[in-house]
Amino acid sequence: MADRLMLASVFVSFVGVILFYVSYLIKNGRPHKPASITTKSTSISTECRSGDETDVIIVGAGVAGAALALTLAKDGRRVHVIERDLTEPDRIVGELLQPGGYLKLMELGLEDCVENIDAQRVFGYALFKDGKNTRLSYPLEKFHADVAGRSFHNGRFIQRMREKASSLPTIRLEQGTVVSLLEEEGTIKGALYKTKSGKEMKAYAPLTIVCDGCFSNLRRSLCNPQVDVPSCFVGLVLENCQLPYENHGHVVLADPSPILFYRISSTEIRCLVDVPGQKVPSISNGDLSKYLKNVVAPQIPEELKDGFIAAVEKGNIRTMPNRSMPAAPQPTPGALLMGDAFNMRHPLTGGGMTVALSDIVVLRDLLRPLRDLHDSYTLCKYLESFYTLRKPVASTINTLAGALYKVFCASPDKARQEMREACFDYLSLGGVFSNGPVALLSGLNPRPMSLVIHFFAVAVYGVGRLLLPFPSLKRMWIGARLISGASGIIFPIIKAEGVRQMFFPATVAAYYRAPPPQ
């Protein structure tokens, strides 16, 4: 009898140990690769406070990084954000948020981040060319009264998001410089970074998202970057003067390339002068000031001329290269690229923040069903759908930016001159002729087919202007070259974006990828 009781107690103890172990696994999540997890957790405890405490590492706290951190934290993720410099940025771009981008900001619940920064509402554009001008309004009739574009100081907007992020207990916002990503057997495990004091640290998490901007030093390990620099912006701030059309962005179709004006506060107007090529005249020897006064100033509206010259003489002139880079991801387990580190377009149309916020909405919706991010290979396969689902919106805005910049630049070629003139006159017609293109520009209707239709409608309109009232062989030849030139502008951009993903995303297998079982 005693032997039976002894045997029963041993058996019950054994079953109890098994049940305890099973319950422990269920509570803490079953590791995908037990051996590597054990090793990793040991190194984490001695190297950094990430690992089990962190779900996602975000490199960079600009517009994309800060907005992404807030979005993921709202969904219950524990986020570690590493930003090189947490002081307020001072940039000359990223200052105009299109209405489509504002809608995405509202969808993310971050619309309060444009409050209390003296942001200005934007209701459309004004175009100027050879003494003529036309006003183009955003088609906002079907939207809430608060929906419009917003223009502001880029740094103020970013600091508002950072302040909001730092107030959340699930976000750890740290100043540091990420040196490299930590890779183990083809999987990104986290990031190696230096703290503000110079101490080298390692941070670990199942997913690392790189949002370190247009000058990213980490993108090469996660994509195949093909960066083009078609021009540079020269930035000035005009003070205490009035725009010809308040609450509108202003585009001057100047020679050799466009000039932009828009408010960034109630007392300041940003001017961006586009200079083709990768170099601008020297600031130090005064060549740039002479260029701005002698070449640019005579082409801008009279209402802005005195303020422009005063800003040049004040001397606070900034420059930056305008970069474009199609998204060319290399899916990597444990890591993802976003923002300007991943995809750039010419800033003429102000579409960068709209694309970034739209991407965040797509990624948020993909990650929401997932509680466990540790199965890196399965997660990587699933997130391939991100690259497909983002394409229609991102590629439309990217293609429009590249095509419109080329059309708006002056050219000695007669066919290109006719295309530029046709574009201005087509938009000046108003009604459906302006509403369609402006809906594309604003991000309110980013449909690839609509873009192609309107682009070639402009080209056909230009041919019609040439052939009426009486066609000639010379005009017919210019018309043929105009169509050919239009094709030469838009089709290479579409090819770089990906024809299938842009126009037929539903034919891509990743479009239908389901969340992995949890």
Side-chain angles (χ1 to χ4, degrees):
M1 186 70 177
D3 291 341
R4 289 182 181 178
L5 287 173
M6 179 77 69
L7 185 61
S9 64
V10 170
F11 177 78
V12 169
S13 299
F14 178 74
V15 171
V17 170
I18 295 296
L19 290 174
F20 175 81
Y21 181 70
V22 170
S23 67
Y24 175 83
L25 286 180
I26 292 172
K27 183 178 179 181
N28 293 278
R30 185 176 180 179
H32 181 59
K33 293 182 180 179
S36 62
I37 291 293
T38 303
T39 305
K40 190 175 94 169
S41 61
T42 302
S43 63
I44 291 168
S45 62
T46 58
E47 293 177 319
C48 185
R49 297 186 304 272
S50 282
D52 293 337
E53 297 179 7
T54 303
D55 297 310
V56 180
I57 293 170
I58 297 177
V59 181
V63 172
L68 180 61
L70 285 164
T71 301
L72 295 180
K74 285 184 176 184
D75 282 351
R77 309 284 183 190
R78 295 158 299 184
V79 184
H80 182 184
V81 184
I82 306 171
E83 163 59 37
R84 182 181 59 83
D85 185 359
L86 287 175
T87 59
E88 183 174 310
D90 184 15
R91 303 184 65 204
I92 64 172
V93 292
E95 299 172 321
L96 177 61
L97 180 65
Q98 296 287 3
Y102 183 75
L103 284 174
K104 296 298 179 184
L105 203 67
M106 292 176 66
E107 193 173 344
L108 296 170
L110 303 176
E111 66 271 23
D112 59 329
C113 292
V114 296
E115 297 173 1
N116 303 318
I117 59 172
D118 200 14
Q120 305 296 300
R121 291 163 68 87
V122 181
F123 297 111
Y125 278 89
L127 293 184
F128 294 77
K129 183 180 184 297
D130 300 332
K132 301 179 292 182
N133 67 79
T134 186
R135 183 167 61 175
L136 310 171
S137 297
Y138 293 138
L140 299 172
E141 298 81 8
K142 297 179 181 179
F143 298 94
H144 186 273
D146 191 48
V147 177
R150 295 291 194 280
S151 56
F152 39 69
H153 280 271
N154 172 269
R156 294 177 187 175
F157 178 50
I158 289 174
Q159 288 303 94
R160 282 281 288 143
M161 288 196 289
R162 288 176 179 175
E163 289 166 8
K164 190 169 183 176
S166 62
S167 69
L168 298 181
T170 53
I171 295 180
R172 178 186 170 198
L173 185 59
E174 181 180 10
Q175 182 162 312
T177 301
V178 174
V179 179
S180 63
L181 300 178
L182 299 175
E183 183 179 343
E184 183 181 313
E185 297 179 358
T187 299
I188 302 300
K189 299 292 186 179
L192 174 68
Y193 69 102
K194 289 185 178 180
T195 63
K196 187 178 179 180
S197 62
K199 183 179 180 182
E200 197 168 87
M201 300 284 286
K202 292 180 181 180
Y204 292 89
L207 181 61
T208 301
I209 303 177
V210 176
C211 308
D212 58 342
C214 61
F215 299 105
S216 172
N217 63 342
L218 301 175
R219 67 162 66 103
R220 289 193 177 277
S221 58
L222 301 174
C223 75
N224 181 27
Q226 301 292 328
V227 180
D228 182 36
V229 184
S231 67
C232 297
F233 266 158
V234 176
L236 302 162
V237 174
L238 283 59
E239 297 178 330
N240 300 312
C241 57
Q242 298 297 311
L243 288 166
Y245 297 96
E246 286 295 344
N247 299 109
H248 285 68
H250 291 54
V251 183
V252 181
L253 304 189
D255 186 357
S257 53
I259 306 165
L260 307 180
F261 294 92
Y262 52 88
R263 282 205 173 277
I264 54 174
S265 75
S266 53
T267 60
E268 298 166 299
I269 295 171
R270 169 68 71 197
C271 171
L272 294 173
V273 178
D274 186 84
V275 179
Q278 299 184 14
K279 293 183 179 180
V280 298
S282 173
I283 296 177
S284 57
N285 65 11
D287 285 350
L288 183 56
S289 294
K290 292 176 185 176
Y291 175 82
L292 294 173
K293 288 181 179 179
N294 299 332
V295 177
V296 177
Q299 301 185 71
I300 67 176
E302 287 295 328
E303 299 93 325
L304 297 168
K305 196 167 291 184
D306 290 343
F308 179 81
I309 292 174
V312 174
E313 290 177 345
K314 188 176 180 180
N316 187 19
I317 303 173
R318 308 274 302 281
T319 65
M320 72 159 291
N322 293 326
R323 296 168 172 240
S324 62
M325 184 184 77
Q330 295 175 348
T332 305
L336 200 67
L337 266 176
M338 291 194 74
D340 283 351
F342 174 49
N343 183 203
M344 294 180 284
R345 76 289 312 147
H346 196 285
L348 171 70
T349 56
M353 288 189 289
T354 301
V355 171
L357 294 170
S358 176
D359 284 354
I360 291 170
V361 170
V362 172
L363 183 62
R364 177 201 65 182
D365 293 344
L366 287 171
L367 291 178
R368 263 185 174 167
L370 309 180
R371 300 320 308 165
D372 182 9
L373 305 178
H374 284 84
D375 189 343
S376 300
Y377 291 96
T378 304
L379 179 64
C380 178
K381 199 72 176 174
Y382 170 58
L383 288 182
E384 285 181 11
S385 59
F386 166 74
Y387 303 118
T388 302
L389 293 171
R390 70 177 293 275
K391 265 296 178 181
V393 172
S395 58
T396 300
I397 293 173
N398 295 344
T399 303
L400 178 64
L404 209 57
Y405 175 70
K406 291 184 178 180
V407 170
F408 279 0
C409 284
S411 172
D413 182 76
K414 183 65 176 173
R416 288 283 295 273
Q417 292 173 17
E418 289 292 338
M419 184 70 177
R420 191 186 197 211
E421 187 71 34
C423 185
F424 181 86
D425 290 348
Y426 181 88
L427 294 172
S428 300
L429 293 173
V432 294
F433 303 102
S434 64
N435 284 346
V438 174
L440 289 163
L441 179 67
S442 63
L444 295 171
N445 180 33
R447 297 182 181 176
M449 192 55 70
S450 179
L451 168 62
V452 172
I453 289 170
H454 280 287
F455 188 80
F456 280 101
V458 170
V460 171
Y461 176 76
V463 173
R465 290 171 67 255
L466 284 167
L467 300 184
L468 294 175
F470 303 108
S472 66
L473 288 175
K474 181 180 179 181
R475 287 173 170 266
M476 290 172 66
W477 172 243
I478 294 174
R481 288 177 51 228
L482 192 157
I483 296 292
S484 174
S487 302
I489 288 173
I490 197 168
F491 286 145
I493 303 174
I494 290 175
K495 182 181 178 183
E497 289 292 328
V499 176
R500 186 181 174 193
Q501 293 90 339
M502 184 173 176
F503 292 96
F504 312 106
T507 66
V508 180
Y511 185 85
Y512 302 99
R513 204 144 285 164
Q518 294 291 291

